[in-house]
Amino acid sequence: MIELAEVGLFVVLFAALFVGWVMGRSKSKKKPAAEKKSIPSDYFRGLNHLLNDQHSEAIDAFVDSLEVNSDTFDIHLTLGNLFRKKGEIQKAIHIHQSLLARPEISAREMRMVQLELASDFMSAGLLDRAGRLLLNMASTSRKSEFHPKILSLLVDLYEFEQSWDKAVQIGGELIKDKPSKKEIKRLAHFHCELAQDFHKKEQWKFALQSYKAALEVDSSCVRASIGIADVLDGQNRYRDAIKELKHAVEQDPDFISLIVPKLKDCYQNVWGSSGYIKFLQEQNEKKPATSLIMALAQHYMETDKEYAEMFLVEQLRKHPTLKGFKELINLQLDNEEGYSQQHLEVLYELIDQLVQAKHKYQCRQCGFAGHQLHWQCPSCKNWGTVKPIHGLEGE
Ligand SMILES: [Zn+2]
């Protein structure tokens, strides 16, 4: 069966042949019959391979038969890209390097080929070669139309290498040159990655600086606010940490399940639980979430178990979730005896297993789901798109 990429290649090839035929016709009108160019033998070789279902050989032969000039330059470039996307990187490199060797291509076309070649090197894992080529291009084309694309590829490269300091530097240049929402978000996460490294080494000052740099780039970066709160918490600066955590909830209430336990710890170290409970109640009014409901129910349990149960039932009616239901059964367990208690225990275990099996986080971009929070989606590679799951099976 012919793969989709292969179908794409043939579409381009037939387009190439059509262009070649049109050009040949227009030229043949001007030339005497004796001067007509004969059809290159590579063309027949390609046709033969195609008829014998030898698709790779057919493509090679067609590429060889196609002359490089200003009309066919784009076709060569597209073919090279198709080879790269198909995973045939060596062929892509071969096409792009042959194009570079042609004396007739313009300076602009040369830049276009070099960009494609850099992508080929990256796909082949030749990161050093890609880096050298891109850095050389970046230094010689500061004002050219290709500069943002060169910087963007360099950022891709440093992101892949996890060279966060370089990614921060080039990412900063890129958003000055061509600011886009996606690049701004990505740059903020690079600052956070750097901050996380400093945090691990207990270099608090540098960690704070990097998290703040992330917020300067993207004021909506919830990861940076949570990170700052973690650093402040590590320095026993609980009041400041609480402010940051409250700010994080304002930035993105979807992360409430991450924030509530941290907030609880900080409040316990300074003001006891009154401010904490007030905050939970206010947030639950604004946007109900299981983490808030459970934290409140646990607090009410300490003083009034009956009220805690009533509260939980009322909240579950408005905001039904598996986790809430599990907690309700847990509360009921103490009220029952004998068989009823045993039945409830079985039910509790079943729901607990169901909750444990469910994914906690999901990418809002590609749907990838998992048990861990990844700031960069492992599937689509977007930053900040994986969030806690809400609804019946989540928050
Ligand atoms: Zn994704």
Side-chain angles (χ1 to χ4, degrees):
M1 211 177 91
I2 298 174
E3 287 173 26
L4 201 63
E6 219 144 21
V7 173
L9 277 172
F10 287 120
V11 170
V12 176
L13 277 171
F14 288 122
L17 289 172
F18 178 72
V19 172
W21 177 74
V22 170
M23 281 163 48
R25 249 184 66 150
S26 65
K27 276 178 191 166
S28 69
K29 279 178 191 165
K30 293 168 199 162
K31 288 180 182 175
E35 281 178 46
K36 265 187 196 173
K37 260 177 139 180
S38 60
I39 300 170
S41 60
D42 289 331
Y43 174 80
F44 289 110
R45 190 160 56 86
L47 208 55
N48 197 30
H49 286 310
L50 193 57
L51 291 171
N52 289 322
D53 269 358
Q54 291 164 306
H55 303 122
S56 294
E57 289 83 351
I59 291 164
D60 287 344
F62 283 131
V63 169
D64 290 342
S65 72
L66 206 61
E67 213 179 299
V68 180
N69 55 44
S70 55
D71 294 305
T72 59
F73 172 80
D74 286 340
I75 296 165
H76 278 272
L77 207 62
T78 311
L79 267 178
N81 299 351
L82 280 170
F83 274 124
R84 185 174 66 240
K85 281 173 189 153
K86 207 171 156 256
E88 296 193 41
I89 318 286
Q90 284 310 320
K91 281 186 187 168
I93 292 176
H94 171 70
I95 290 184
H96 291 138
Q97 280 181 331
S98 329
L99 275 177
L100 276 184
R102 305 279 180 149
E104 62 269 32
I105 66 168
S106 67
R108 186 177 181 276
E109 286 169 341
M110 186 179 281
R111 289 263 175 248
M112 288 165 79
V113 181
Q114 284 175 326
L115 275 174
E116 297 305 335
L117 195 57
S119 296
D120 297 341
F121 288 152
M122 279 165 71
S123 300
L126 303 168
L127 302 183
D128 282 356
R129 286 179 79 177
R132 277 200 302 275
L133 178 59
L134 288 167
L135 282 173
N136 184 273
M137 288 177 78
S139 64
T140 54
S141 62
R142 288 202 182 279
K143 286 182 182 162
S144 88
E145 60 181 306
F146 299 110
H147 199 59
K149 177 70 185 164
I150 297 167
L151 294 183
S152 174
L153 279 176
L154 266 175
V155 175
D156 288 347
L157 179 77
Y158 295 141
E159 177 188 287
F160 184 79
E161 283 183 339
Q162 303 195 339
S163 306
W164 305 121
D165 46 350
K166 290 181 191 167
V168 157
Q169 188 208 329
I170 304 292
E173 277 183 46
L174 176 60
I175 63 160
K176 265 187 227 156
D177 218 30
K178 196 180 179 188
S180 75
K181 256 189 186 177
K182 198 179 167 187
E183 289 298 349
I184 287 172
K185 206 172 169 185
R186 177 156 87 142
L187 178 58
H189 278 277
F190 294 159
H191 281 292
C192 291
E193 289 290 337
L194 260 185
Q196 223 168 284
D197 289 344
F198 287 129
H199 193 162
K200 275 182 207 152
K201 293 178 207 155
E202 298 190 356
Q203 294 177 314
W204 311 114
K205 193 181 145 198
F206 292 123
L208 274 180
Q209 272 175 5
S210 290
Y211 279 129
K212 282 179 184 166
L215 284 171
E216 273 169 35
V217 172
D218 177 9
S219 60
S220 68
C221 183
V222 67
R223 180 186 181 185
S225 300
I226 295 174
I228 291 176
D230 285 343
V231 174
L232 296 170
D233 185 21
Q235 295 176 310
N236 302 335
R237 292 166 62 187
Y238 303 113
R239 283 183 175 82
D240 293 332
I242 288 170
K243 272 187 210 160
E244 287 299 328
L245 289 169
K246 286 186 175 177
H247 178 57
V249 179
E250 280 170 30
Q251 284 171 308
D252 196 340
D254 284 344
F255 283 91
I256 193 78
S257 58
L258 231 77
I259 296 165
V260 165
K262 293 175 191 285
L263 207 54
K264 187 181 179 186
D265 281 351
C266 291
Y267 265 110
Q268 277 175 345
N269 279 304
V270 276
W271 294 309
S273 59
S274 63
Y276 168 64
I277 297 304
K278 192 166 168 266
F279 177 79
L280 295 180
Q281 287 167 335
E282 284 169 2
Q283 281 307 311
N284 199 39
E285 287 284 311
K286 280 191 216 164
K287 190 175 181 188
T290 312
S291 301
L292 296 165
I293 295 167
M294 305 269 278
L296 282 167
Q298 276 161 14
H299 171 74
Y300 297 144
M301 273 285 290
E302 289 164 15
T303 48
D304 189 342
K305 195 176 168 229
E306 212 171 306
Y307 178 74
E309 282 177 19
M310 271 170 49
F311 169 78
L312 201 54
V313 171
E314 188 193 326
Q315 293 297 317
L316 273 173
R317 279 204 186 105
K318 288 192 238 167
H319 185 74
T321 60
L322 275 180
K323 281 187 204 163
F325 188 50
K326 189 184 112 181
E327 184 62 25
L328 184 64
I329 295 173
N330 190 28
L331 291 182
Q332 291 290 322
L333 269 173
D334 290 346
N335 299 344
E336 304 293 333
E337 286 172 354
Y339 280 124
S340 303
Q341 194 182 41
Q342 283 173 15
H343 290 163
L344 274 180
E345 272 170 3
V346 172
L347 194 58
Y348 178 83
E349 275 171 30
L350 281 174
I351 294 179
D352 186 44
Q353 282 172 16
L354 199 61
V355 170
Q356 299 297 331
K358 294 284 171 198
H359 291 131
K360 290 190 178 78
Y361 302 97
Q362 190 168 34
C363 175
R364 305 284 168 100
Q365 201 71 37
C366 71
F368 167 88
H371 293 285
Q372 268 190 320
L373 173 63
H374 296 276
W375 290 111
Q376 184 184 27
C377 173
S379 175
C380 69
K381 307 290 176 203
N382 278 302
W383 289 91
T385 50
V386 177
K387 290 186 175 189
I389 293 175
H390 285 249
L392 188 66
E393 295 175 359
E395 272 298 303

